[in-house]
Amino acid sequence: MIVDDVSYLAEPFFQDGIIAQAVDQVHSQGVSYFSSAGNYGDNSYQAAFRPSGEELFIDSLSVGVMHDFDERPDSVNTRQSMTIPANTSVLFGFQWVDNYSSLNAGLGAQTDLDIYFAMESPIEYSIDWTDIFQDPVNVFSLSTGDEAVDLDVIITNYEGDDPSMLKYIIFSTAPTINSFDTQSSTSFGHANASGANGVGAVFYGYTPAYGINAPILESFSSKGGTPIYLDQQGNFLTQPITRE
């Protein structure tokens, strides 16, 4: 039996990375593998990239077509509101369905998505770490001072085809997503491997032993259901797999 309580924030969301593959290897040898699902609640946004038809300009330069957060066909909204409490440092992970150069013989991402944070009008902070042929993975942090910060999230496609799914996970339950909150899965990586038992948290009084069927997940415990879009060789699956 192997048990871990470790999260590697740069593990792939949408493909089994090297650690998830190692979990599957030991599971195939009869080992029971248990891994913490995480303590991020459902603080995640997940959606297909929907091109708004509107470009984002910074200093008169286009940095790509903005994602439309609004699913309604007759409405477009390129900003998502978020509040980060005072005196808080928050880690984010941002990925999209694409090839991972570290896994797929150097093929790497064919699309370059970028994420921006705006306070009122000016762009205050941006993440642009992934270029074509690299891993479609960004991990970054935001910190606040003595006052809470209200900001808007903007996602752009700078280059390449629109991905079938994008996702960010806030590795904390502190920030509040005020609009277009999909309340998506926050368990990923090797805890989401087919050979792993991802372990969430439930108060013992909310279990079948106390008459509660099914058990009620604690609000801080990470939610499962991150879909797998690519096999271990980087080939796109006919249908994405969502594991129990």
Side-chain angles (χ1 to χ4, degrees):
M1 180 182 292
I2 298 176
V3 178
D4 80 58
D5 187 20
V6 180
S7 295
Y8 297 94
L9 304 185
E11 285 191 76
F13 292 169
F14 303 113
Q15 182 181 2
D16 289 322
I18 57 173
I19 304 172
Q21 293 178 32
V23 170
D24 289 342
Q25 288 174 8
V26 297
H27 177 260
S28 69
Q29 299 168 17
V31 174
S32 295
Y33 198 104
F34 296 85
S35 181
S36 168
N39 295 320
Y40 317 129
D42 57 7
N43 242 5
S44 171
Y45 174 80
Q46 178 177 297
F49 186 91
R50 291 184 292 270
S52 65
E54 301 176 9
E55 294 182 73
L56 177 64
F57 289 87
I58 300 178
D59 296 331
S60 300
L61 296 176
S62 173
V63 292
V65 175
M66 292 182 283
H67 169 64
D68 179 12
F69 286 93
D70 198 328
E71 294 182 353
R72 295 174 297 178
D74 57 346
S75 181
V76 173
N77 197 320
T78 59
R79 296 192 175 210
Q80 179 187 47
S81 172
M82 180 183 297
T83 300
I84 302 179
N87 301 307
T88 301
S89 182
V90 184
L91 281 168
F92 289 76
F94 175 54
Q95 298 187 27
W96 57 95
V97 174
D98 209 335
N99 284 289
Y100 294 81
S101 64
S102 58
L103 295 175
N104 305 325
L107 179 61
Q110 304 299 296
T111 296
D112 181 3
L113 293 194
D114 301 316
I115 187 166
Y116 297 85
F117 297 88
M119 298 170 60
E120 296 187 1
S121 178
I123 304 298
E124 296 289 342
Y125 195 79
S126 66
I127 298 298
D128 184 12
W129 295 344
T130 298
D131 294 318
I132 300 297
F133 309 129
Q134 298 180 1
D135 279 358
V137 176
N138 292 323
V139 178
F140 55 96
S141 64
L142 293 178
S143 299
T144 58
D146 293 335
E147 296 183 358
V149 173
D150 294 318
L151 51 81
D152 289 336
V153 180
I154 303 170
I155 297 171
T156 68
N157 183 350
Y158 181 74
E159 182 179 1
D161 295 334
D162 297 329
S164 54
M165 190 65 66
L166 62 88
K167 182 181 185 71
Y168 70 72
I169 296 176
I170 306 173
F171 300 119
S172 166
T173 57
T176 300
I177 301 174
N178 301 316
S179 62
F180 310 112
D181 186 3
T182 59
Q183 298 180 325
S184 301
S185 57
T186 55
S187 185
F188 67 99
H190 69 281
N192 191 39
S194 62
N197 297 283
V199 182
V202 175
F203 173 57
Y204 69 89
Y206 297 152
T207 64
Y210 289 82
I212 304 296
N213 285 295
I216 301 173
L217 192 71
E218 289 277 27
S219 61
F220 63 83
S221 189
S222 283
K223 179 180 177 180
T226 301
I228 300 296
Y229 279 80
L230 299 95
D231 65 18
Q232 292 188 2
Q233 289 72 43
N235 302 307
F236 282 80
L237 302 173
T238 304
Q239 293 289 336
I241 298 172
T242 301
R243 295 162 178 159
E244 284 282 329

